[in-house]
């Protein structure tokens, strides 16, 4: 089966009928198909014609002879029930591995303990990660329900392994035996210590009674966290009443009027409209206080969660929950986080005060006072919007230059320049994906051949999860040395065993020993769908940045093909994992990079540089003020998870007010308790600093390595060799220091942290 591309109006015509896997297809034709399968629905329909033909032909074919595959070409996942089969096969294999590890008594078998623990983890994660994705994204409720059930079952099973003392004791024995551990590669040593830390963070080294208490506290934290997350919509004040004559500029549908009195909801969107548009400062103040109010029960709930985390830390012999969380992170400990944030706050404050000065001038002009007035928290959004409206010149839309296909094409061209890696559209078999909109890309290295697969689910649909995300379905690892035949004890009759999870056979890669399981990842976004009239999906500058960001994660997964699953790709510390993705955001704004792909979807004319500059100027206005706010939140997160959480007079509202008055730009407001809206306190507890930390590291790498020549193969290879290829198997400080060629950074001590905090120009 073949396709023909008829797209002369888009600036390119194919003169031959070609199949998706035709090796003779010219390079530039493949490159153009890459764009058109995202941008032109006719081209996409032709490209998928073979798959749809198979589906129609085989509806009446006996199931045993059908050529359908399952999700991600897994033959078990042709139906929701396949998840249960996959889980059962995985658990059977894992139980054999547990038996093998705990009965290891020869040097040969003890030497394989770390490898077998990693295999065990990979077998479970291959099902868990697939189930996590499917339960979130699959449009079929039967699939998502079954995936969720298996996900919860296997997560519970894995948690039980984290408290298996026999596995823990064998691992400790291996690590503490010099004749064995001295043979470890640096990667294997890293994996061994990751497993050991995971065991001990689960309280496995505690006496039995304390382990029971650990489980109780852990369950309590989860329950409190879920309750805290779901309590966000509650306010102590849900409606405010104001003079209806003072609401000029507000959408007529927002207030409910009763004579001269207007009633306004304090829900987030309504509150934002009032704070941005209403001139009357008293009304804005009233709305600010009401929309940031909290009930005593909400505050007690948050403080109970934070205290319980403190209790857990004390049980594990740690000073605070922050100490637990940071022990395996790049920044290492709470003192280093405080040093980074305080240094950053001090260096960055002058920039933020410049933004604040503009607000003071605007308020002074409006209220006609002689001296610069105080700008209060309820003034911020109003005067920010007022300044933007008066200073920003109308600019032409930028989205016609950023079709989804053009951006994907540009990313492929960029990666080809930097790393010798490009994307090729791949044929999709019937049943392989969860929706007809999904595109599949093979990732091709010019030296190694195919190195992985990316499924792109980029367009919106009813019921789809809205946030952009990178999902790992399968990690890379070396598989030819699995020695899986020895998983089955000699005295076991293999004919009596039920089906087991079998390892991927892997592929040989040019220049590398052994065979490797290749990574499979999914990128999801919520972009507008292409139109049937031939108009492609057009992206805003922010959406293009989002796609670049997610592809940064994808390249980390593709290039970080380590020997061990547990440190491959994005399996690295949370305060390091965002570095490659945030770095990619810088490339979006480079004129050199834009010249690779940013062309008008219809005329194919390149984007005018003045247009991109005007959009950048508008977008960067008041960014310093926003960064100062992020610093405040990161500091708040650290203080809440410090030893103060166990103090009898722990008061989250007082702590927030103090930070607002010392680090923030606007005075604290009595009667408010914004902290109950800080939902990340549960999901990112003690780790909210990570985004700022990665952002400043990425900015430094951009300025020092890439900014001068963002298409440099030398720069790309340096980043690939010093950062990406290691996944999580190397000390991140060493990765960054080597990439920057700065020995002071490779040390990773308090001096290194202070240096990073001072790189304020890299934000």
């Amino acid at each position: 089966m073949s396709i023909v591309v008829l797209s002369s109006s888009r600036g390119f015509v194919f003169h031959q009928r070609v199949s998706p896997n035709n090796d003779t297809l010219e390079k530039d034709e493949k490159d153009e198909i890459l764009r058109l399968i995202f941008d032109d629905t006719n081209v996409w329909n032709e490209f998928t014609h073979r798959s749809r033909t198979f589906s129609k032909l085989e509806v009446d074919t006996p199931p045993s002879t059908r050529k359908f595959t399952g999700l991600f070409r897994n033959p078990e996942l042709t139906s929701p029930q396949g998840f249960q089969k996959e889980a059962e096969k995985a658990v059977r294999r894992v139980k054999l591995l547990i038996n093998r590890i705990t009965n290891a008594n020869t040097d040969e078998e003890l030497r394989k303990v770390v490898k077998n623990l990693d295999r065990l983890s990979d077998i479970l994660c291959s099902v868990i990660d697939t189930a996590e994705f499917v339960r979130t994204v699959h449009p079929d409720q039967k699939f998502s329900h079954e995936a969720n059930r298996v996900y919860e079952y296997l997560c519970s099973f894995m948690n039980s392994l984290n408290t298996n003392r026999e596995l823990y004791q064998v691992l400790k024995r291996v690590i503490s035996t010099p004749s064995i551990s001295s043979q470890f590669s640096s990667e294997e040593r890293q994996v061994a210590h990751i497993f050991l830390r995971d065991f001990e963070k689960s309280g496995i080294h505690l006496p039995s009674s304390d382990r029971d208490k650990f489980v109780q506290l852990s369950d309590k934290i989860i329950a409190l966290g879920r309750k805290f997350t779901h309590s966000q919509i509650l306010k102590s004040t849900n409606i405010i009443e104001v003079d209806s004559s003072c609401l000029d500029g507000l959408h007529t549908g927002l207030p409910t009027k009763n004579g001269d009195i207007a009633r306004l909801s304090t829900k987030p969107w309504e509150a934002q409209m009032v704070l941005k548009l209403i001139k009357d400062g008293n009304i804005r103040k009233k709305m600010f206080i009401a929309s940031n109010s909290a009930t005593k029960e909400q505050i007690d709930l948050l403080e109970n969660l934070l205290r319980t985390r403190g209790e857990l830390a004390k049980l594990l012999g740690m000073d605070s929950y922050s100490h637990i969380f940071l022990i395996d992170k790049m920044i290492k400990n709470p003192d280093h986080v405080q040093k980074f944030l305080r240094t950053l706050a001090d260096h960055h404050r002058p920039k933020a005060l410049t933004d604040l000065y503009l607000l003071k001038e605007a308020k002074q002009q409006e209220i006609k006072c002689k001296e610069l007035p105080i700008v209060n928290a309820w003034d911020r959004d109003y005067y920010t919007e007022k300044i933007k409206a008066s200073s920003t010149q109308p600019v032409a839309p930028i989205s016609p230059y950023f079709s989804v296909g053009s951006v994907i094409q540009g990313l492929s061209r960029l990666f080809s320049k930097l790393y010798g890696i490009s994307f090729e559209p791949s044929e999709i078999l019937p049943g392989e994906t969860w929706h007809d909109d999904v595109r599949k890309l093979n990732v091709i290295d010019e030296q190694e051949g195919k190195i992985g697969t990316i499924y792109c689910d980029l367009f919106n649909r009813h019921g789809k999860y809205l946030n952009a995300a990178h999902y790992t379905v399968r990690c890379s690892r070396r598989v030819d040395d699995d020695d899986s035949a020895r998983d089955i004890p000699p005295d076991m009759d293999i004919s009596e065993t039920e089906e087991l999870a079998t390892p991927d056979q892997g592929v040989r890669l040019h220049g590398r020993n052994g065979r490797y399981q290749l990574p499979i990842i999914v990128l999801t976004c919520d972009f507008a769908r292409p139109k049937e009239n031939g108009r492609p999906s057009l992206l805003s500058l922010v959406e293009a940045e989002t796609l670049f960001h997610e592809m940064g994660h994808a390249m980390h997964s593709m290039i970080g093909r380590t020997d061990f699953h547990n440190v491959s790709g994005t399996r690295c510390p949370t305060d390091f994992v965002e570095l490659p993705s945030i770095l990619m955001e810088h490339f979006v704004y480079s004129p050199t990079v834009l010249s690779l792909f940013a062309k008008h979807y219809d005329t194919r004319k390149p984007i005018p540089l003045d247009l991109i500059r005007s959009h950048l100027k508008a977008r960067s206005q008041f960014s310093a003020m926003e960064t100062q706010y992020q610093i405040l939140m990161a500091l708040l997160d650290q203080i809440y998870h410090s030893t103060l959480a166990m103090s009898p007079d722990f008061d989250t509202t007082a702590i927030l007010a103090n930070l607002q008055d010392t680090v923030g730009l606007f005075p604290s407001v009595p009667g408010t308790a914004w902290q109950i809206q800080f939902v990340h306190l549960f999901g990112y507890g003690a780790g909210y600093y990570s985004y700022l930390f990665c952002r400043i590291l990425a900015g430094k790498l951009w300025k020092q390595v890439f900014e001068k020549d963002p298409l440099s193969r030398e720069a790309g290879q340096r980043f690939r060799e010093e950062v990406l290829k290691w996944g999580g198997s190397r000390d991140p400080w060493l990765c960054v220091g080597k990439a920057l060629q700065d020995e002071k950074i490779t040390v990773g001590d308090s001096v290194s942290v202070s240096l990073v905090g001072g790189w304020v120009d890299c934000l």
Side-chain angles (χ1 to χ4, degrees):
M1 192 60 63
S2 56
I3 66 172
V4 62
V5 181
L6 300 173
S7 57
S8 56
S9 64
R10 302 289 179 264
F12 201 95
V13 181
F14 292 114
H15 302 291
Q16 59 178 323
R17 186 169 281 269
V18 293
S19 76
N21 295 319
N22 189 345
D23 293 332
T24 65
L25 195 60
E26 293 297 328
K27 183 178 179 181
D28 56 351
E29 292 184 342
K30 286 184 179 180
D31 182 62
E32 193 65 1
I33 288 178
L34 177 63
R35 177 176 72 87
L36 291 171
I37 63 168
F38 288 93
D39 282 355
D40 192 313
T41 54
N42 291 328
V43 173
W44 175 239
N45 289 336
E46 288 287 349
F47 193 86
T48 57
H49 181 67
R50 177 177 176 177
S51 296
R52 288 184 285 107
T53 300
F54 271 143
S55 298
K56 290 176 182 177
L57 290 175
E58 298 196 356
V59 168
D60 298 322
T61 304
S64 60
T65 61
R66 286 181 187 172
K67 295 178 182 176
F68 285 91
T69 184
L71 293 173
F72 305 109
R73 297 200 178 186
N74 181 334
E76 292 289 5
L77 299 183
T78 56
S79 69
Q81 292 71 33
F83 273 105
Q84 181 62 32
K85 293 179 183 177
E86 283 291 275
E88 290 171 354
K89 290 194 296 183
V91 169
R92 283 193 288 269
R93 173 69 71 174
V94 165
K95 287 180 177 179
L96 289 176
L97 277 167
I98 293 170
N99 181 67
R100 179 176 178 180
I101 293 166
T102 55
N103 286 290
N105 53 22
T106 66
D107 285 351
E108 182 183 8
E109 277 297 292
L110 289 168
R111 178 68 182 81
K112 293 178 179 176
V113 163
V114 176
K115 170 73 176 180
N116 287 331
L117 281 170
D118 190 71
R119 287 177 57 212
L120 182 157
S121 178
D122 181 52
I123 289 165
L124 287 177
C125 287
S126 65
V127 184
I128 290 173
D129 291 342
T130 303
E132 180 185 19
F133 166 74
V134 171
R135 74 178 185 145
T136 306
V137 174
H138 204 294
D140 185 332
Q141 289 299 306
K142 292 179 181 178
F143 259 105
S144 59
H145 174 78
E146 192 64 16
N148 184 64
R149 192 183 64 77
V150 164
Y151 174 84
E152 292 181 349
Y153 162 64
L154 287 182
C155 283
S156 176
F157 180 72
M158 182 172 271
N159 287 338
S160 72
L161 297 184
N162 288 336
T163 57
N164 185 310
R165 286 186 63 82
E166 288 183 282
L167 290 173
Y168 172 64
Q169 294 296 344
V170 173
L171 178 61
K172 278 190 70 176
R173 176 185 171 190
V174 166
I175 291 173
S176 61
T177 303
S179 62
I180 299 173
S181 58
S182 62
Q183 299 177 53
F184 287 172
S185 65
S186 60
E187 188 177 307
E188 191 172 10
R189 186 173 295 106
Q190 175 83 339
V191 172
H193 285 283
I194 288 172
F195 280 126
L196 190 68
R197 280 197 300 267
D198 286 347
F199 275 127
E200 294 182 349
K201 284 172 77 172
S202 297
I204 199 168
H205 57 298
L206 300 174
S208 178
S209 58
D210 285 346
R211 288 202 305 277
D212 291 340
K213 187 176 181 182
F214 176 90
V215 172
Q216 292 168 8
L217 289 173
S218 297
D219 289 344
K220 183 179 178 182
I221 288 168
I222 292 171
L224 289 171
R226 286 175 176 166
K227 193 173 180 181
F228 170 66
T229 302
H230 293 142
S231 72
Q232 302 302 302
I233 60 172
L234 302 175
K235 310 279 182 194
S236 62
T237 305
N238 295 309
I239 296 288
I240 63 169
E241 294 185 343
V242 300
D243 185 341
S244 61
S245 66
C246 298
L247 299 181
D248 289 347
L250 197 63
H251 189 282
T252 54
L254 281 181
T256 302
K257 294 184 179 180
N258 183 10
D260 294 335
I261 302 298
R263 304 179 81 240
L264 293 166
S265 167
T266 61
K267 290 180 180 178
W269 186 80
E270 288 88 338
Q272 272 294 301
M273 291 302 99
V274 170
L275 293 171
K276 283 183 178 182
L277 301 175
I278 297 300
K279 184 176 181 178
D280 191 310
N282 290 324
I283 292 178
R284 294 199 310 272
K285 179 179 180 180
K286 192 172 185 179
M287 176 59 82
F288 184 86
I289 293 173
S291 62
N292 287 280
S293 65
T295 65
K296 183 179 184 302
E297 290 75 19
Q298 285 175 302
I299 295 172
D300 289 346
L301 175 63
L302 172 60
E303 292 177 357
N304 192 4
L305 168 64
L306 297 171
R307 284 197 187 95
T308 306
R309 280 177 163 169
E311 287 181 55
L312 188 75
K314 187 175 180 181
L315 183 67
L316 291 172
M318 297 285 194
D319 291 341
S320 70
Y321 181 79
S322 188
H323 283 84
I324 295 177
F325 178 81
L326 295 169
I327 194 171
D328 56 356
K329 303 302 181 289
M330 181 175 176
I331 212 162
K332 297 185 176 72
N333 60 61
D335 290 342
H336 283 183
V337 180
Q338 285 283 344
K339 183 176 285 290
F340 164 68
L341 291 173
R342 295 289 180 181
T343 304
L344 180 59
D346 291 343
H347 282 79
H348 184 265
R349 190 169 184 81
K351 286 189 172 186
L353 290 175
T354 300
D355 282 354
L356 180 61
Y357 184 79
L358 295 176
L359 299 187
K360 288 183 175 183
E361 283 188 319
K363 184 173 182 180
Q364 181 186 37
Q365 186 177 2
E366 178 156 300
I367 66 175
K368 296 179 171 51
C369 61
K370 291 184 178 180
E371 297 183 355
L372 287 175
I374 293 173
V375 176
N376 292 296
W378 56 85
D379 296 325
R380 183 191 65 184
D381 291 347
Y382 174 73
Y383 289 108
T384 297
E385 288 298 306
K386 192 176 181 67
I387 292 169
K388 285 183 177 181
S390 63
S391 64
T392 304
Q393 295 296 320
V395 294
I398 202 169
S399 59
Y401 297 91
F402 290 105
S403 71
V404 170
S406 290
V407 176
I408 293 288
Q409 184 184 60
L411 283 160
S412 180
R413 291 173 176 177
L414 174 61
F415 294 144
S416 180
K417 298 282 188 183
L418 294 176
Y419 310 128
I421 289 173
S422 59
F423 302 147
E424 288 187 2
S426 177
E427 186 176 34
I428 296 173
L429 296 182
E432 184 177 352
T433 64
W434 50 100
H435 195 275
D436 289 342
D437 281 346
V438 178
R439 275 68 163 167
K440 177 183 175 184
L441 305 178
N442 287 333
V443 184
I444 308 298
D445 185 286
E446 63 188 24
Q447 297 296 325
E448 300 179 18
K450 180 180 174 181
I451 59 172
T453 301
I454 301 174
Y455 290 88
C456 298
D457 186 358
L458 305 183
F459 303 120
N460 59 24
R461 60 178 175 270
H462 178 70
K464 183 180 177 183
Y465 179 68
L466 297 181
N467 292 340
H470 163 280
Y471 294 90
T472 300
V473 173
R474 185 176 73 188
C475 285
S476 175
R477 72 177 183 89
R478 187 173 177 178
V479 296
D480 62 294
D481 57 352
D482 278 2
D483 190 27
S484 56
R486 293 198 191 184
D487 296 347
I488 301 171
D491 57 350
M492 179 181 287
D493 185 351
I494 192 169
S495 64
E496 295 179 2
T497 63
E498 295 183 80
E499 190 176 359
L500 303 170
T502 55
D504 185 274
Q505 295 304 302
V507 298
R508 292 200 176 275
L509 300 172
H510 179 73
R512 303 188 71 169
N513 295 324
R515 299 179 70 86
Y516 285 79
Q517 173 177 286
L518 296 185
I520 299 173
I521 65 104
V522 181
L523 298 185
T524 64
C525 293
D526 192 46
F527 303 146
R529 297 168 58 82
K531 306 294 184 184
E532 291 297 332
N533 63 7
R535 180 177 171 131
S537 174
L538 303 178
L539 305 182
S540 67
L541 195 56
V542 172
E543 289 174 323
E545 180 187 288
T546 296
L547 195 45
F548 267 66
H549 178 101
E550 298 305 334
M551 275 296 183
H553 286 309
M555 280 301 102
H556 203 181
S557 292
M558 296 297 123
I559 294 173
R561 285 168 287 115
T562 52
D563 284 359
F564 291 84
H565 144 90
N566 232 41
V567 290
S568 68
T570 56
R571 292 186 185 271
C572 54
T574 53
D575 54 359
F576 180 64
V577 72
E578 293 293 331
L579 168 58
S581 53
I582 295 173
L583 175 63
M584 282 302 302
E585 295 175 14
H586 290 273
F587 285 87
V588 182
Y589 305 108
S590 163
T592 305
V593 175
L594 289 172
S595 69
L596 293 176
F597 71 93
K599 297 178 181 178
H600 195 282
Y601 76 94
D602 192 32
T603 66
R604 305 309 294 154
K605 289 182 178 180
I607 188 171
L609 291 183
D610 286 344
L611 180 60
I612 193 76
R613 291 191 189 104
S614 61
H615 277 270
L616 282 175
K617 182 180 178 181
R619 187 165 181 266
S620 63
Q621 201 169 22
F622 296 110
S623 60
M625 195 164 65
E626 176 59 29
T627 297
Q628 194 72 15
Y629 186 53
Q630 293 293 321
I631 294 170
L632 185 150
M633 288 194 288
L635 282 166
L636 184 69
D637 174 45
Q638 285 300 306
I639 296 171
Y640 280 177
H641 289 97
S642 70
T643 54
L644 285 178
M646 298 300 290
S647 171
D649 56 353
F650 181 53
D651 184 339
T652 57
T653 304
I655 291 169
L656 173 58
N658 178 258
L659 268 182
Q660 288 171 326
D661 292 333
T662 56
V663 178
L665 300 175
F666 311 99
S668 60
V669 183
T672 63
W674 172 84
Q675 71 271 21
I676 64 98
Q677 298 178 41
F678 194 2
V679 66
H680 291 305
L681 286 171
F682 177 52
Y684 292 88
Y688 194 77
Y689 74 93
S690 297
Y691 178 77
L692 279 171
F693 190 64
C694 287
R695 186 174 150 199
I696 206 166
L697 291 176
K700 183 69 170 179
L701 280 160
W702 168 256
K703 283 182 174 293
Q704 193 164 315
V705 180
F706 290 103
E707 187 174 41
K708 185 177 180 181
D709 183 2
L711 305 183
S712 165
R713 175 63 68 90
E714 181 182 354
Q717 284 301 107
R718 191 203 301 184
F719 188 65
R720 177 176 183 162
E721 291 298 313
E722 299 296 355
V723 179
L724 294 178
K725 83 169 190 180
W726 298 93
S729 67
R730 189 193 204 191
D731 182 350
W733 287 103
L734 187 59
C735 291
V736 175
K738 290 288 187 181
L740 292 173
Q741 298 177 337
D742 187 340
E743 292 300 320
K744 296 188 293 293
I745 297 301
T746 62
V747 178
D749 59 6
S750 61
V751 174
S752 307
V753 171
S754 291
L755 286 171
V756 174
W759 292 342
V760 66
D761 290 336
C762 298
L763 281 170

